[in-house]
Amino acid sequence: MFHRPLIFVGLIASFASFASTLLAEELDYHVTDPNLKVVRLDSSPDDSFLSVRTDSTGRIFVGGRRTLYAYDLDESGRYLPRKLLYEFPDHTWVNDIEVRGDDLYLVTVSAVYRIPGGRVNRKGLKPERLLWGVPNGHVHQCFHACTWGPEGDLYISMGDPLWYYGDFTRPDHWGHWTMFYKPSAKPVDARRVTGVELPGHSRVDDGKSGGVGNAAAGNRVLQQEPDQAGFQQQWASIPYNGVGAVFRIRPDGTNLRSYARGLRNPCGLCFDRNGNLFTNDNDHEGIPSLYAPGRLMHVTEGSYWSWPRGWMTSKTPDRADIPAMVNDEMGRAVPVLQAYYADSYLPETYRNNLLVARWCRRTVSRFPLEPTGKTFTAKEQVLLEGLDQARPVGICVGRGGRIFVTICYMAQNEGSPTYRSDLAVITRQEDPETMPFAAVDLTQVELAELSNPAHQGDWSRRQAEIQEVVRRAELLQLDLTQPETLPLPFQNILPTGHHERKPFDEMPADAFEDNPQAAIQQLRQSTASTELAPELIRCLDLAQTPRPQLTAARCRAADASIRMGGVLTAGFRLTIPPVDAELHPDAPLAPHQKEEANIIRYADEEQPIDLRKLGRVGNYTVAEHWKVLQHTDEQECLFGLLLERLGDEHDKIR
């Protein structure tokens, strides 16, 4: 018994020696700014670190191939050895992490989870699935990143699990499966946007627009038969048609909505301090002539990014249906996670920068945002550079404005690798080992202090405060859509002017069909001035419901810009399936290229779930369905309008 203190002292000394060794070692990566330094905090030979996130106290959470770790702090502010919080089934890949209150939110390849109490508890943690259903086409695709929106929704990016499918000489492919998410408590009648009943299903109303679509798209509840493995509770469900996308859900997993479509493989996701959302998109290495360079994008609600129909205007300048990029000079690109920097800790040149971990170029690159019309442009500058096999993959801002990075060591691209990895921090050159900052547990802070304007200068802190205030407001069941009615402390911190986008499609389907010229005039006056590519988004909205007379009037208008809008609307209506469409029973679906894509083991289930038992799963092209299914009168009308416009005097319309 007298030897225990000596053993304890020995362990502490060993860890201190290990930490000093890490600090003293020559690293395989360096920062380009002489006023900064990079310090390695930890290294693992086989945990495959990927995602990284900090909380307001300075704790670090790191996710990898199958593990989730926490780095707690001692009284001096130094990090203790990593502690395993949870071990997932193999190949789960914790791609991103977010913090809310005492809970952790995890985005893995095949599901989004919440771990109640995971921020502070270290035993007995149980993941709770919030969103799932996407087939596991490849561990590099599917669900990727998450970030909290200004209104308190969790935004999630997803890659295209059928990137390989279709004839790329006439690019057109769509995946179809069922998305499952949490139902709310109040059932109401199930109706589609068109008002048609969904036989055999009930809709669940969560108090907002339900379902994946922008309008009330049918938030259905599906109960699995008792003999089907693993389905032990009710789930809200919605059919999904699409490729890569950005979604949003409530923190409790309810109210799934589509935010943006037409992405290939968006890995990073972050908001700036003004509520603008940004992502990156991996190029298609198999066909670089069509789908390279990589894309850095300002993503607005309702936007469509054209994969695989197109990529960017620099590749196809004659296309009028592709939004502008923030940066279209990334070259061959495998960007991974990204963050936004607007803190005062680092020099001013780093403020209002996107930070992107670029596996391909072995860099952390920064992109200073420059407003350009209704969007942004940004030139790439290297912040951290890796050597040989050292490749940055994860990044976040925390602990008073420092930048935390995960580094993987890989010689080449692999499917689901086990690799050596580091956790490092980018900080000031003079920063002491204890990295002092104003640590605080925001869940314990008085509301008045959370709304203190003195914190405006450090966005990483301010963003966390906003999310904590939103969380408390929801606990009190306050209506955040009417900020003027909230108590003053809430009004002082909650962002204003960020509301649900009202799509143009809210106009009734038969509105102005008898007077299309009046409709054209109203549409001219209703363009949303704050949206990226508002004409494109308006055409996408109008394509959601049948308006053949209005579309015909626009296609035949004297004004070329109106004709272009009509052509885009007709084309979108014919070739972009509604995100939540039920497929016709005779519509063919090709299976995924590997059967195991449909059979997934989730962390909160004892047995794998076969997605094919819960709904139709597969791939298709619009061309395949056009050949097989009987055309409607509206489809023939729209097709005829497009044939007419082949003789238009303007090249872009033709």
Side-chain angles (χ1 to χ4, degrees), residues 165-178:
Y165 184 76
D167 178 3
F168 281 87
T169 63
R170 300 178 61 188
D172 164 30
H173 75 223
W174 303 88
H176 181 81
W177 59 84
T178 302

Side-chain angles (χ1 to χ4, degrees), residues 38-223:
V38 58
V39 178
R40 180 161 55 191
L41 301 175
D42 193 14
S43 186
S44 171
D46 55 10
D47 278 303
S48 305
F49 295 161
L50 174 55
S51 52
V52 58
R53 189 72 64 182
T54 63
D55 74 354
S56 60
T57 71
R59 292 186 185 94
I60 306 174
F61 302 93
V62 172
R65 187 172 187 264
R66 61 184 299 176
T67 52
L68 174 67
Y69 287 107
Y71 293 80
D72 294 315
L73 299 98
D74 64 17
E75 293 182 356
S76 70
R78 293 176 173 84
Y79 286 106
L80 298 170
R82 65 180 181 271
K83 185 174 182 62
L84 179 65
L85 296 188
Y86 196 84
E87 187 165 352
F88 290 85
D90 206 8
H91 310 295
T92 292
W93 286 100
V94 180
N95 286 330
D96 206 358
I97 306 168
E98 268 292 5
V99 178
R100 189 177 196 260
D102 286 339
D103 299 341
L104 297 179
Y105 287 74
L106 311 179
V107 174
T108 69
V109 172
S110 298
V112 177
Y113 296 93
R114 175 176 58 189
I115 299 186
R119 185 181 73 89
V120 292
N121 296 329
R122 297 295 172 259
K123 293 182 179 180
L125 299 178
K126 294 182 179 180
E128 172 194 5
R129 218 172 343 144
L130 300 180
L131 176 64
W132 57 286
V134 58
N136 188 354
H138 196 283
V139 294
H140 294 178
Q141 309 291 127
C142 308
F143 292 129
H144 274 302
C146 62
T147 188
W148 292 114
E151 71 297 294
D153 283 353
L154 185 66
Y155 289 70
I156 301 152
S157 67
M158 180 189 75
D160 178 12
L162 55 141
W163 76 96
Y164 57 87
Y165 184 76
D167 178 3
F168 281 87
T169 63
R170 300 178 61 188
D172 164 30
H173 75 223
W174 303 88
H176 181 81
W177 59 84
T178 302
M179 285 287 205
F180 297 95
Y181 55 105
K182 291 292 186 179
S184 58
K186 184 181 177 183
V188 298
D189 290 339
R191 292 185 180 273
R192 306 287 290 176
V193 176
T194 56
V196 178
E197 287 285 350
L198 289 173
H201 296 286
S202 61
R203 179 167 175 245
V204 175
D205 183 17
D206 49 21
K208 297 184 179 181
S209 60
V212 173
N214 283 325
N219 183 355
R220 301 182 295 118
V221 174
L222 183 148
Q223 176 69 52

Side-chain angles (χ1 to χ4, degrees), residues 235-509:
W235 288 92
S237 69
I238 201 76
Y240 177 75
N241 297 275
V243 289
V246 175
F247 303 100
R248 55 193 289 201
I249 58 172
R250 298 299 301 143
D252 60 0
T254 61
N255 198 23
L256 173 66
R257 284 152 291 163
S258 172
Y259 189 80
R261 305 175 71 190
L263 297 161
R264 183 189 178 275
N265 202 24
C267 290
L269 200 63
C270 62
F271 280 94
D272 72 4
R273 66 183 311 144
N274 296 313
N276 297 297
L277 182 63
F278 298 88
T279 190
N280 58 62
D281 207 1
N282 282 232
D283 66 25
H284 189 52
E285 57 269 22
I287 315 178
S289 60
L290 296 178
Y291 305 108
R295 308 193 287 186
L296 188 63
M297 306 138 92
H298 169 210
V299 181
T300 59
E301 188 169 10
S303 56
Y304 174 68
W305 295 87
S306 291
W307 160 261
R309 299 150 60 105
W311 194 244
M312 59 178 61
T313 53
S314 62
K315 306 292 289 187
T316 51
D318 57 324
R319 294 279 293 272
D321 60 334
I322 302 176
M325 304 296 153
V326 173
N327 184 292
D328 59 3
E329 300 173 338
M330 297 180 74
R332 298 304 304 275
V334 187
V336 194
L337 293 174
Q338 70 183 43
Y340 173 72
Y341 196 91
D343 281 36
S344 59
Y345 180 76
L346 296 184
E348 188 172 357
T349 187
Y350 294 98
R351 294 172 204 168
N352 200 36
N353 279 218
L354 297 179
L355 306 175
V356 181
R358 299 199 60 184
W359 181 95
C360 49
R361 294 198 171 181
R362 302 173 178 85
T363 67
V364 170
S365 293
R366 64 183 184 91
F367 295 83
L369 292 170
E370 294 290 341
T372 306
K374 296 169 185 173
T375 183
F376 302 86
T377 56
K379 295 293 184 180
E380 181 173 10
Q381 300 182 40
V382 174
L383 171 59
L384 179 143
E385 189 171 33
L387 305 174
D388 194 15
Q389 298 183 16
R391 303 174 184 270
V393 285
I395 189 165
C396 76
V397 179
R399 194 162 178 145
R402 296 166 179 87
I403 299 170
F404 293 83
V405 183
T406 53
I407 310 285
C408 78
Y409 289 82
M410 293 177 63
Q412 60 192 13
N413 197 6
E414 300 177 51
S416 184
T418 298
Y419 53 71
R420 171 191 160 201
S421 52
D422 290 353
L423 170 64
V425 61
I426 299 172
T427 185
R428 294 175 183 168
Q429 187 64 247
E430 72 277 8
D431 196 16
E433 186 179 340
T434 54
M435 294 190 287
F437 81 113
V440 60
D441 186 341
L442 293 180
T443 65
Q444 305 300 314
V445 173
E446 294 291 335
L447 184 61
E449 180 60 22
L450 287 174
S451 59
N452 188 340
H455 303 157
Q456 292 282 3
D458 293 305
W459 177 240
S460 62
R461 167 72 179 264
R462 195 60 170 175
Q463 182 185 39
E465 289 177 334
I466 290 172
Q467 294 305 323
E468 175 60 19
V469 171
V470 169
R471 186 184 72 87
R472 295 189 194 184
E474 291 173 351
L475 289 175
L476 296 173
Q477 298 184 334
L478 300 179
D479 186 357
L480 299 180
T481 64
Q482 300 184 35
E484 67 279 359
T485 67
L486 298 175
L488 282 178
F490 290 98
Q491 291 187 35
N492 290 340
I493 188 171
L494 290 177
T496 59
H498 189 91
H499 305 290
E500 295 280 342
R501 186 181 71 89
K502 293 184 177 180
F504 294 101
D505 189 47
E506 287 187 352
M507 186 192 310

